[in-house]
Amino acid sequence: MSQIKKVIIPVGGFGTRFLPATKAQPKEMLPIVDKPVIQYLVEEAVASGIQEIIFVTGKGKRAIEDHFDYAGELESFLESRGKTELAKEIRKLSSLAHFAFVRQREPKGAGDALLQAKHLIGQEPVAVLYGDDIVDGGPACLKQLLEVYEKYKSPVLALERVPKKEVYKYGVIRGKKIAEKTYDVLDIIEKPSVQDAPSNLISIGKYIITPEIFDYLLHVKPQPNQELYLTDAFSAHLKKGGKIYGYEFEGVRYDCGDKLGFLKAVVHFGLKHPDVGTAFKSHLRRIKL
Ligand code: G1P
């Protein structure tokens, strides 16, 4: 069993890339077929052995609380209509894990969101999942990171190789390969230009962080857009001689915070879906592009 018991999931952002769909609902509740994006992340945490989930929410995010709440009336209604399986599935949602909610007053970036949950963490290491990145295939992505943490007892980043022209969207690392898929991270740069990027190995939104990272976060300067970047805390930690490891995870990532990534996720999970997968595949084959 891992000593990491909690995961923080920041969900305070406005989701401007999906407006107007996200004007009156959280982007994390957009459905990939019939399951909201946020549920994939909670299931990833649970599949990794984590039972305590802390959401850092903001204005307009109550639907996330409701989604993981007990819904007795809906269950009885489904039972009364003979939809027993669906009723069971709905019940399971509220007992998946223990949920806690803290509020971020303003959307000031994921670094600030993490600080809002600091008092619930104390001196423990903790997992962090950003609300956009879903990984499918292979063991749960977070579980893979936990195994690396158990070995090195230092912060761990989930790494992916992307085409060089895309690095400007991510935190990009300079690292030394020390074992199969494992890197000693020597530097990390947030959203560099393609020319300045130290590699094409980017960090996706899944991390294990240790208490020192929170201490560095308290001292990082906000970016010009007022956001606090977790990457800046990682840089400070590395500059002081701290260690960070990166792991090229197994599986395929879908960036559901981006329109194209979201559509790819819908197609991927739609094709795998037990109710509609086969019919969806025939439909896609018939489409003339
Ligand atoms: C954030 C992080 C970045 C990381 C990315 C992964 O950026 O700051 O380091 O590579 O998530 O999705 P954002 O997508 O919030 O701009």
Side-chain angles (χ1 to χ4, degrees), residues 161-217:
R161 255 181 221 289
V162 297
K164 192 86 196 249
K165 61 179 190 321
E166 289 176 22
V167 290
Y168 70 94
K169 297 190 267 185
Y170 301 103
V172 184
I173 71 136
R174 180 164 66 83
K176 188 169 154 244
K177 194 166 182 183
I178 51 166
E180 181 68 16
K181 292 166 167 278
T182 313
Y183 293 79
D184 184 358
V185 175
L186 304 172
D187 199 4
I188 179 160
I189 304 176
E190 183 69 23
K191 301 190 176 58
S193 65
V194 173
Q195 302 86 286
D196 294 342
S199 73
N200 66 339
L201 258 186
I202 62 116
S203 102
I204 71 159
K206 298 185 194 290
Y207 314 87
I208 308 291
I209 61 171
T210 52
E212 310 92 285
I213 300 298
F214 278 102
D215 297 336
Y216 287 116
L217 255 183

Side-chain angles (χ1 to χ4, degrees), residues 135-146:
V135 172
D136 194 43
C141 187
L142 184 54
K143 189 159 192 272
Q144 300 178 47
L145 301 187
L146 289 171

